Amino acid sequence: SENEELEEIASADLKFLLLPALLGALTLKQVDVGRRLEHLQSAREHFLRFLRLCRSYGLGSFQLPPGQEGAGTPRDPPGPQPSLVAMAMGRKAKIERYKQKKELENKLASMRSLVESGAAEEEQLREFYILQIQQWISTSLEEIESIDQEMVILRSRDAARQAPAAAHGPSRPVRAPVRPFILTRDAAQARVFGAGYPGLPTMTVDDWYEQRRQQGLVSGQSVPQRVPGVSDDELQKQQQEKKEEEDDEETLQKARNWDDWKDTHPRGYGNRHNMG
Protein backbone atom coordinates (compact mmCIF):
# COMPACT_ATOMS: atom_id res chain seq x y z
CA SER A 1 0.00 0.00 0.00
CA GLU A 2 1.18 3.52 -0.77
CA ASN A 3 0.13 4.56 2.73
CA GLU A 4 2.97 2.54 4.21
CA GLU A 5 6.40 3.80 5.05
CA LEU A 6 9.50 2.34 3.44
CA GLU A 7 10.59 0.82 6.76
CA GLU A 8 7.32 -1.12 6.95
CA ILE A 9 8.03 -3.04 3.74
CA ALA A 10 9.83 -6.34 4.22
CA SER A 11 13.25 -6.58 2.61
CA ALA A 12 12.20 -9.55 0.47
CA ASP A 13 9.17 -7.57 -0.82
CA LEU A 14 11.08 -4.49 -1.96
CA LYS A 15 11.75 -6.10 -5.36
CA PHE A 16 8.01 -5.98 -6.14
CA LEU A 17 8.21 -2.19 -6.36
CA LEU A 18 10.07 -2.73 -9.63
CA LEU A 19 7.05 -4.35 -11.27
CA PRO A 20 5.70 -1.19 -13.06
CA ALA A 21 9.15 -0.33 -14.42
CA LEU A 22 9.67 -3.88 -15.71
CA LEU A 23 6.23 -3.79 -17.37
CA GLY A 24 7.20 -0.55 -19.09
CA ALA A 25 10.46 -2.02 -20.36
CA LEU A 26 8.69 -5.13 -21.69
CA THR A 27 6.01 -3.01 -23.39
CA LEU A 28 8.70 -1.09 -25.26
CA LYS A 29 9.95 -4.36 -26.73
CA GLN A 30 6.68 -4.95 -28.61
CA VAL A 31 7.40 -5.20 -32.35
CA ASP A 32 3.93 -4.45 -33.76
CA VAL A 33 4.67 -1.38 -35.90
CA GLY A 34 1.00 -0.57 -36.46
CA ARG A 35 0.42 -0.25 -32.69
CA ARG A 36 3.72 1.45 -31.84
CA LEU A 37 2.10 4.66 -30.60
CA GLU A 38 -0.27 2.67 -28.38
CA HIS A 39 2.66 0.70 -26.90
CA LEU A 40 4.60 3.91 -26.24
CA GLN A 41 1.67 5.44 -24.35
CA SER A 42 1.22 2.27 -22.29
CA ALA A 43 4.94 2.05 -21.45
CA ARG A 44 4.98 5.73 -20.46
CA GLU A 45 2.11 5.15 -18.03
CA HIS A 46 3.97 2.19 -16.44
CA PHE A 47 7.15 4.23 -15.94
CA LEU A 48 5.22 7.17 -14.46
CA ARG A 49 3.39 4.86 -12.09
CA PHE A 50 6.74 3.47 -10.91
CA LEU A 51 8.20 6.95 -10.41
CA ARG A 52 5.18 8.11 -8.40
CA LEU A 53 5.39 4.99 -6.28
CA CYS A 54 9.06 5.62 -5.56
CA ARG A 55 8.37 9.26 -4.68
CA SER A 56 5.61 8.28 -2.25
CA TYR A 57 8.11 6.05 -0.41
CA GLY A 58 10.88 8.64 -0.51
CA LEU A 59 13.17 6.56 -2.74
CA GLY A 60 15.57 8.91 -4.50
CA SER A 61 15.41 12.63 -5.17
CA PHE A 62 14.14 13.39 -8.67
CA GLN A 63 11.57 15.44 -10.53
CA LEU A 64 8.76 14.02 -12.56
CA PRO A 65 8.44 15.12 -16.22
CA PRO A 66 6.63 18.47 -16.74
CA GLY A 67 2.87 18.19 -16.29
CA GLN A 68 3.10 14.87 -14.39
CA GLU A 69 3.29 16.14 -10.80
CA GLY A 70 -0.38 15.34 -10.19
CA ALA A 71 -1.76 11.87 -9.64
CA GLY A 72 -4.17 12.01 -12.57
CA THR A 73 -3.87 10.45 -15.95
CA PRO A 74 -0.53 11.25 -17.65
CA ARG A 75 -0.95 13.97 -20.21
CA ASP A 76 0.72 14.28 -23.58
CA PRO A 77 4.22 15.75 -23.67
CA PRO A 78 4.33 19.55 -23.97
CA GLY A 79 4.34 20.88 -27.51
CA PRO A 80 6.33 24.17 -27.32
CA GLN A 81 10.08 23.99 -27.64
CA PRO A 82 11.95 24.34 -24.31
CA SER A 83 13.90 27.50 -23.59
CA LEU A 84 17.70 27.64 -23.48
CA VAL A 85 17.65 27.75 -19.68
CA ALA A 86 15.44 24.67 -19.50
CA MET A 87 17.67 22.86 -21.99
CA ALA A 88 20.77 23.70 -19.93
CA MET A 89 19.11 22.48 -16.74
CA GLY A 90 18.00 19.30 -18.50
CA ARG A 91 21.53 18.65 -19.74
CA LYS A 92 22.91 19.16 -16.25
CA ALA A 93 20.34 16.74 -14.80
CA LYS A 94 21.28 14.15 -17.43
CA ILE A 95 24.96 14.37 -16.52
CA GLU A 96 24.16 14.02 -12.84
CA ARG A 97 21.90 11.00 -13.50
CA TYR A 98 24.63 9.40 -15.60
CA LYS A 99 27.17 9.72 -12.77
CA GLN A 100 24.72 8.30 -10.24
CA LYS A 101 23.87 5.44 -12.57
CA LYS A 102 27.50 4.45 -12.92
CA GLU A 103 27.99 4.50 -9.15
CA LEU A 104 24.88 2.35 -8.67
CA GLU A 105 26.05 -0.13 -11.30
CA ASN A 106 29.41 -0.51 -9.55
CA LYS A 107 27.78 -1.06 -6.14
CA LEU A 108 25.28 -3.57 -7.56
CA ALA A 109 28.04 -5.49 -9.33
CA SER A 110 29.98 -5.85 -6.08
CA MET A 111 26.91 -7.09 -4.16
CA ARG A 112 25.26 -9.25 -6.86
CA SER A 113 27.31 -12.40 -6.29
CA LEU A 114 26.69 -12.22 -2.55
CA VAL A 115 22.91 -11.87 -2.99
CA GLU A 116 22.60 -14.53 -5.68
CA SER A 117 24.56 -17.03 -3.59
CA GLY A 118 22.08 -16.59 -0.70
CA ALA A 119 24.80 -15.61 1.77
CA ALA A 120 23.69 -11.97 2.08
CA GLU A 121 22.25 -10.77 5.34
CA GLU A 122 18.92 -8.97 5.53
CA GLU A 123 20.49 -5.51 5.65
CA GLN A 124 22.64 -6.31 2.61
CA LEU A 125 19.64 -7.72 0.76
CA ARG A 126 17.61 -4.61 1.57
CA GLU A 127 20.38 -2.30 0.37
CA PHE A 128 20.73 -4.30 -2.86
CA TYR A 129 17.02 -3.96 -3.73
CA ILE A 130 16.98 -0.24 -2.89
CA LEU A 131 19.98 0.28 -5.18
CA GLN A 132 18.15 -1.58 -7.94
CA ILE A 133 15.09 0.65 -7.47
CA GLN A 134 17.26 3.77 -7.66
CA GLN A 135 18.89 2.45 -10.83
CA TRP A 136 15.49 1.93 -12.44
CA ILE A 137 14.42 5.44 -11.43
CA SER A 138 17.21 6.83 -13.62
CA THR A 139 16.32 4.38 -16.40
CA SER A 140 12.62 5.32 -16.24
CA LEU A 141 13.36 9.04 -16.56
CA GLU A 142 15.53 8.38 -19.61
CA GLU A 143 12.91 6.13 -21.20
CA ILE A 144 10.12 8.69 -20.72
CA GLU A 145 12.22 11.35 -22.42
CA SER A 146 12.93 9.02 -25.34
CA ILE A 147 9.25 8.01 -25.56
CA ASP A 148 8.14 11.67 -25.74
CA GLN A 149 10.48 12.32 -28.66
CA GLU A 150 9.34 9.24 -30.56
CA MET A 151 5.66 10.05 -29.98
CA VAL A 152 6.13 13.50 -31.53
CA ILE A 153 7.66 11.90 -34.64
CA LEU A 154 4.91 9.27 -34.95
CA ARG A 155 2.10 11.82 -34.56
CA SER A 156 3.65 14.08 -37.19
CA ARG A 157 3.88 11.12 -39.56
CA ASP A 158 0.26 10.12 -38.97
CA ALA A 159 -0.94 13.70 -39.47
CA ALA A 160 0.88 13.85 -42.81
CA ARG A 161 -0.71 10.58 -43.92
CA GLN A 162 -4.22 11.69 -42.93
CA ALA A 163 -3.96 15.08 -44.65
CA PRO A 164 -6.86 15.60 -47.11
CA ALA A 165 -6.14 14.97 -50.75
CA ALA A 166 -7.32 18.51 -51.56
CA ALA A 167 -4.17 19.88 -49.95
CA HIS A 168 -2.13 18.18 -52.62
CA GLY A 169 -4.30 19.43 -55.48
CA PRO A 170 -7.12 17.73 -57.37
CA SER A 171 -6.44 14.24 -58.59
CA ARG A 172 -6.05 13.77 -62.30
CA PRO A 173 -8.93 12.05 -64.08
CA VAL A 174 -8.22 8.60 -65.36
CA ARG A 175 -7.77 8.71 -69.12
CA ALA A 176 -9.07 5.94 -71.29
CA PRO A 177 -6.41 4.06 -73.25
CA VAL A 178 -5.93 5.42 -76.77
CA ARG A 179 -6.07 2.89 -79.56
CA PRO A 180 -3.25 3.38 -82.11
CA PHE A 181 -4.16 4.57 -85.60
CA ILE A 182 -2.53 5.83 -88.82
CA LEU A 183 -2.85 9.56 -89.48
CA THR A 184 -3.02 10.32 -93.22
CA ARG A 185 -3.14 13.52 -95.22
CA ASP A 186 -6.34 12.86 -97.08
CA ALA A 187 -8.93 10.16 -97.78
CA ALA A 188 -6.87 8.68 -100.66
CA GLN A 189 -3.96 7.91 -98.36
CA ALA A 190 -6.37 6.52 -95.77
CA ARG A 191 -7.61 3.99 -98.31
CA VAL A 192 -4.04 3.03 -99.30
CA PHE A 193 -2.75 2.54 -95.75
CA GLY A 194 -5.95 0.92 -94.58
CA ALA A 195 -5.65 -1.70 -97.30
CA GLY A 196 -2.26 -2.83 -95.97
CA TYR A 197 -3.20 -2.72 -92.30
CA PRO A 198 -6.82 -3.89 -92.06
CA GLY A 199 -6.55 -4.31 -88.25
CA LEU A 200 -5.34 -0.72 -87.72
CA PRO A 201 -7.82 2.17 -88.16
CA THR A 202 -6.93 5.16 -90.33
CA MET A 203 -8.21 8.72 -90.40
CA THR A 204 -7.38 11.92 -92.22
CA VAL A 205 -6.10 15.08 -90.61
CA ASP A 206 -9.53 16.65 -90.90
CA ASP A 207 -11.14 13.64 -89.24
CA TRP A 208 -8.60 13.79 -86.44
CA TYR A 209 -9.23 17.50 -85.81
CA GLU A 210 -12.97 16.93 -85.85
CA GLN A 211 -12.67 14.10 -83.35
CA ARG A 212 -10.53 16.23 -81.02
CA ARG A 213 -12.96 19.12 -81.32
CA GLN A 214 -15.90 16.90 -80.33
CA GLN A 215 -13.90 15.74 -77.31
CA GLY A 216 -13.37 19.38 -76.31
CA LEU A 217 -9.59 19.14 -76.55
CA VAL A 218 -9.27 21.78 -79.29
CA SER A 219 -11.39 24.80 -80.13
CA GLY A 220 -13.30 25.12 -83.35
CA GLN A 221 -11.10 28.03 -84.43
CA SER A 222 -7.99 25.87 -84.39
CA VAL A 223 -9.41 23.46 -86.94
CA PRO A 224 -7.94 24.28 -90.35
CA GLN A 225 -10.50 24.73 -93.10
CA ARG A 226 -9.42 22.50 -95.97
CA VAL A 227 -10.93 22.58 -99.42
CA PRO A 228 -11.26 19.12 -100.96
CA GLY A 229 -8.61 18.49 -103.65
CA VAL A 230 -6.29 21.29 -102.44
CA SER A 231 -2.75 20.27 -101.45
CA ASP A 232 -0.87 21.57 -98.41
CA ASP A 233 1.37 23.84 -100.53
CA GLU A 234 -1.61 25.42 -102.23
CA LEU A 235 -3.37 25.83 -98.87
CA GLN A 236 -0.31 27.56 -97.41
CA LYS A 237 -0.09 29.85 -100.46
CA GLN A 238 -3.75 30.77 -100.10
CA GLN A 239 -3.27 31.58 -96.45
CA GLN A 240 -0.26 33.77 -97.33
CA GLU A 241 -2.27 35.69 -99.94
CA LYS A 242 -5.12 36.07 -97.46
CA LYS A 243 -2.78 37.66 -94.94
CA GLU A 244 -1.46 40.06 -97.59
CA GLU A 245 -5.00 40.99 -98.55
CA GLU A 246 -5.77 41.76 -94.91
CA ASP A 247 -2.82 44.15 -94.90
CA ASP A 248 -0.80 42.21 -92.34
CA GLU A 249 2.15 44.55 -91.77
CA GLU A 250 4.59 41.80 -90.85
CA THR A 251 3.61 39.68 -93.85
CA LEU A 252 3.79 42.61 -96.25
CA GLN A 253 7.20 43.62 -94.95
CA LYS A 254 8.53 40.11 -95.40
CA ALA A 255 7.15 40.03 -98.95
CA ARG A 256 8.77 43.36 -99.79
CA ASN A 257 12.13 42.25 -98.38
CA TRP A 258 11.95 39.06 -100.40
CA ASP A 259 11.20 40.99 -103.61
CA ASP A 260 14.12 43.35 -102.96
CA TRP A 261 16.46 40.45 -102.35
CA LYS A 262 15.45 38.75 -105.59
CA ASP A 263 16.11 41.98 -107.53
CA THR A 264 19.75 42.10 -106.39
CA HIS A 265 20.42 38.35 -106.35
CA PRO A 266 19.79 36.50 -109.62
CA ARG A 267 18.52 32.92 -109.57
CA GLY A 268 21.29 30.49 -108.61
CA TYR A 269 23.34 33.16 -106.82
CA GLY A 270 25.89 31.57 -104.46
CA ASN A 271 25.19 28.01 -105.62
CA ARG A 272 28.31 27.39 -107.75
CA HIS A 273 28.62 23.61 -107.06
CA ASN A 274 32.39 23.86 -106.40
CA MET A 275 33.01 25.40 -109.82
CA GLY A 276 35.18 28.24 -108.43
Side-chain angles (χ1 to χ4, degrees):
S1 172
E2 297 183 4
N3 296 326
E4 296 177 333
E5 298 293 335
L6 182 62
E7 293 76 11
E8 300 178 15
I9 302 177
S11 300
D13 295 337
L14 284 173
K15 58 179 179 289
F16 296 112
L17 295 177
L18 293 171
L19 182 60
L22 297 177
L23 286 174
L26 291 175
T27 305
L28 285 179
K29 295 183 181 296
Q30 299 293 324
V31 295
D32 190 351
V33 180
R35 300 178 58 190
R36 180 61 179 173
L37 185 59
E38 178 184 345
H39 293 323
L40 290 175
Q41 292 172 340
S42 178
R44 193 175 191 274
E45 293 175 1
H46 287 310
F47 286 126
L48 284 173
R49 179 186 173 192
F50 169 72
L51 292 175
R52 291 195 183 98
L53 189 63
C54 293
R55 168 170 283 193
S56 65
Y57 283 111
L59 288 166
S61 58
F62 58 92
Q63 291 183 350
L64 291 174
Q68 306 296 336
E69 295 294 338
T73 303
R75 293 181 294 179
D76 293 338
Q81 294 293 333
S83 63
L84 294 177
V85 177
M87 292 174 64
M89 293 178 60
R91 183 175 181 273
K92 183 178 180 181
K94 286 182 182 179
I95 295 175
E96 188 65 26
R97 285 203 308 265
Y98 179 78
K99 293 179 180 179
Q100 294 177 359
K101 189 175 181 180
K102 286 298 180 182
E103 293 177 1
L104 290 173
E105 289 177 354
N106 294 333
K107 291 180 181 180
L108 287 171
S110 61
M111 299 178 63
R112 189 176 302 277
S113 58
L114 186 65
V115 173
E116 291 179 350
S117 63
E121 297 181 357
E122 183 178 355
E123 291 298 327
Q124 294 174 326
L125 186 64
R126 189 176 188 85
E127 181 183 3
F128 178 77
Y129 287 141
I130 291 178
L131 290 175
Q132 272 193 330
I133 292 173
Q134 292 176 348
Q135 183 186 28
W136 272 98
I137 289 175
S138 179
T139 302
S140 299
L141 292 172
E142 294 174 356
E143 292 293 355
I144 289 177
E145 184 177 357
S146 177
I147 287 172
D148 289 346
Q149 295 174 356
E150 187 175 354
M151 287 171 66
V152 171
I153 296 175
L154 291 178
R155 284 170 176 165
S156 300
R157 183 198 64 183
D158 294 342
R161 289 180 176 177
Q162 296 175 1
H168 304 283
S171 58
R172 295 184 177 180
V174 180
R175 297 180 59 184
V178 180
R179 186 180 179 186
F181 61 91
I182 297 176
L183 186 63
T184 62
R185 180 176 299 177
D186 49 30
Q189 284 190 355
R191 289 193 297 270
V192 172
F193 285 102
Y197 304 92
L200 197 61
T202 58
M203 66 174 64
T204 63
V205 176
D206 295 336
D207 295 338
W208 181 82
Y209 269 110
E210 181 63 22
Q211 184 185 72
R212 305 285 285 183
R213 187 185 64 80
Q214 292 178 357
Q215 294 175 355
L217 300 178
V218 296
S219 62
Q221 296 178 355
S222 62
V223 180
Q225 300 296 328
R226 178 185 295 273
V227 180
V230 180
S231 63
D232 290 343
D233 294 338
E234 294 177 356
L235 180 61
Q236 185 176 1
K237 187 176 180 180
Q238 292 176 2
Q239 292 176 351
Q240 182 75 12
E241 294 176 353
K242 184 177 180 181
K243 289 183 178 179
E244 294 178 358
E245 293 175 358
E246 294 175 354
D247 295 334
D248 188 348
E249 293 295 336
E250 183 179 358
T251 304
L252 291 175
Q253 186 62 38
K254 288 182 179 180
R256 293 192 187 100
N257 293 338
W258 176 244
D259 291 338
D260 295 341
W261 190 89
K262 288 193 296 182
D263 291 341
T264 57
H265 296 77
R267 185 177 181 84
Y269 175 83
N271 184 13
R272 310 182 70 89
H273 297 290
N274 298 325
M275 296 177 62

